[in-house]
Amino acid sequence: MKIDFNSMETKILPNFKGGEGEFAVKMFTDEAVKIMRGTLAPGSSIGLHMHMGDAEIIYILSGSGKCLFEGGEETLAEGDCHYCSEGREHSLINNGVEKLEFFAVVK
């Protein structure tokens, strides 16, 4: 099944999960999965949150940032992938000077 993000409406989610700024996202959901193409402007973030009953994979398409994970920080850049398994918490932060674009799957 093709998912055409280019034809989807972009939703702007301010202070997503307690984060800073705005999270711009195009999202496909069904009963089994959530698939997102997201953008964080410089200084924006997705707040620290726990995954209960699901897990998340984030693949960085462009830009750079960091994840708060396991009490530490992981630097992320284009081509990097972050995995947050069930029962763990993480946050995604654009601490760079360009927009941070990523692809995420929550299942």
Side-chain angles (χ1 to χ4, degrees), residues 6-104:
N6 293 324
S7 68
M8 288 182 190
E9 176 186 346
T10 299
K11 295 180 182 179
I12 304 298
L13 306 175
N15 307 107
F16 189 65
K17 304 226 180 244
E20 299 292 324
E22 295 180 338
F23 172 38
V25 64
K26 294 181 179 195
M27 187 180 321
F28 168 85
T29 59
D30 69 11
E31 63 281 347
V33 69
K34 183 185 308 180
I35 303 171
M36 299 168 279
R37 181 168 181 147
T39 302
L40 291 171
S44 293
S45 65
I46 295 172
L48 190 64
H49 61 283
M50 183 166 293
H51 281 269
M52 297 304 297
D54 60 25
E56 183 172 17
I57 298 167
I58 299 172
Y59 180 81
I60 306 301
L61 298 169
S62 66
S64 62
K66 66 180 179 180
C67 268
L68 303 182
F69 183 70
E70 302 259 314
E73 292 183 6
E74 298 175 341
T75 300
L76 298 173
E78 183 176 328
D80 287 338
C81 187
H82 166 77
Y83 175 64
C84 183
S85 59
E86 181 184 5
R88 305 207 184 240
E89 63 181 4
H90 68 156
S91 174
L92 181 61
I93 302 164
N94 182 348
N95 61 348
V97 296
E98 300 174 358
K99 64 184 176 180
L100 175 61
E101 294 184 298
F102 60 94
F103 184 77

